[in-house]
Amino acid sequence: MIRVQEEDFDIGAELATFCAGDTSIGGVASFTGLVRDMAPIDGSARTIKTMTLEHYPGMTEKKLAEIEAEANKRWPLAASLIIHRYGTLAPGDQIVFVACASAHRQAAFDACQFLMDWLKTDAPFWKLEDTDTGGAWVEARDSDDKAAARWGKPETAS
Amino acid sequence: MKILYFAWMRQRIGASNEDMDLPDSVNTVDGLVDWLIARGDGYAQAFAKREVIRAAVNQEYVQFDHAVTNGDEIAFFPPVTGG
């Protein structure tokens, strides 16, 4: 299941319900992404006041659904969940949540990493940081392309 | 054709989307970018580093030699930074 939403989410409630009732499940892994309070830019750290996430409604849901389908092709998952927020967030706020349930832990761990690595390079979201010295769009990182590439994804042309 | 812009491309162009009728001479993403750049400074600034821009036609990533037609939804944006 995928959800793109402005409102916050409750990790406990999500974990309790996304795979409830399936007793073939032996392990659940999850990852939660948070807004950091520091932005290293040009070698100096700047304090983040807020972070605004913009996205491409329609394509976002389409890409997240494709990424989730790919994870379910690669690993025997009993259930999977991706939640990604948009709008203006503050340091400490939750941005993204992925959870995977499987009979064994390795599939659940690996599928979670895969979901995060692929959504970082494929899902059309952009972060605008408002810091004590002004606003700046977050730049894409080569390390994210490399993280996605380890799952057999070609690095992007940029 | 519906064209959408996101993040700093939207800011430089000054619009999040616009509807346009393509001239017959424009039939690829590259051709569309050339045509947009000729429309004004905002477009020229937004597309100055064409090699870093990503394009999507009907919500699928494409290379810049991909075909475009008047019925398409085309989006231009910087590399994505979600997660």
Side-chain angles (χ1 to χ4, degrees), chain B residues 1-68:
Chain B
M1 161 178 296
K2 187 175 186 188
I3 310 180
L4 300 98
Y5 311 103
F6 293 96
W8 50 257
M9 295 205 65
R10 168 177 55 74
Q11 291 178 325
R12 289 177 195 178
I13 289 165
S16 59
N17 66 85
E18 50 194 347
D19 287 300
M20 290 187 177
D21 279 321
L22 287 190
D24 292 342
S25 59
V26 173
N27 39 45
T28 64
V29 174
D30 252 326
L32 173 61
V33 172
D34 291 338
W35 185 69
L36 288 169
I37 286 173
R39 290 171 56 89
D41 285 348
Y43 294 95
Q45 286 172 24
F47 287 102
K49 285 189 185 170
R50 194 181 302 203
E51 67 279 6
V52 308
I53 305 296
R54 302 194 75 179
V57 172
N58 300 324
Q59 304 185 355
E60 287 294 338
Y61 289 109
V62 297
Q63 301 296 313
F64 277 47
D65 58 359
H66 193 276
V68 296

Side-chain angles (χ1 to χ4, degrees), chain A residues 54-59 62-63 66 84 95-96 119-127 137-140 156 158, chain B residues 4-8 10-11 51-54 56 58-61 63 73-75 77-83:
Chain A
E54 178 174 335
H55 78 115
Y56 181 175
M59 184 169 174
K62 188 173 176 176
K63 298 315 289 186
E66 286 174 13
H84 205 303
I95 306 175
V96 62
L119 83 78
K120 279 232 168 224
T121 56
D122 254 34
F125 287 94
W126 301 273
K127 290 184 181 132
W137 291 96
V138 173
E139 289 193 27
T156 54
S158 61
Chain B
L4 300 98
Y5 311 103
F6 293 96
W8 50 257
R10 168 177 55 74
Q11 291 178 325
E51 67 279 6
V52 308
I53 305 296
R54 302 194 75 179
N58 300 324
Q59 304 185 355
E60 287 294 338
Y61 289 109
Q63 301 296 313
E73 174 178 303
I74 305 201
F77 45 81
V80 302
T81 55

Side-chain angles (χ1 to χ4, degrees), chain A residues 49-157:
Chain A
K49 290 190 284 189
T50 62
M51 172 182 279
T52 300
L53 278 131
E54 178 174 335
H55 78 115
Y56 181 175
M59 184 169 174
T60 305
E61 290 81 356
K62 188 173 176 176
K63 298 315 289 186
L64 291 179
E66 286 174 13
I67 294 163
E68 184 186 39
E70 182 65 27
N72 278 270
K73 242 192 278 179
R74 294 182 181 214
W75 291 278
L77 303 180
S80 54
L81 173 64
I82 304 174
I83 303 173
H84 205 303
R85 294 179 69 191
Y86 61 88
T88 299
L89 307 176
D93 282 356
Q94 302 179 132
I95 306 175
V96 62
F97 180 70
V98 301
C100 295
S102 187
H104 302 286
R105 71 182 183 283
Q106 200 62 48
F109 278 132
D110 289 351
C112 272
Q113 293 216 43
F114 170 85
L115 289 177
M116 282 306 303
D117 287 346
W118 267 33
L119 83 78
K120 279 232 168 224
T121 56
D122 254 34
F125 287 94
W126 301 273
K127 290 184 181 132
L128 176 66
E129 291 173 339
D130 185 21
T131 73
D132 45 3
T133 57
W137 291 96
V138 173
E139 289 193 27
R141 300 190 309 173
D142 287 346
S143 58
D144 287 335
D145 279 347
K146 289 191 168 59
R150 73 191 165 124
W151 304 102
K153 182 180 173 57
E155 291 184 39
T156 54

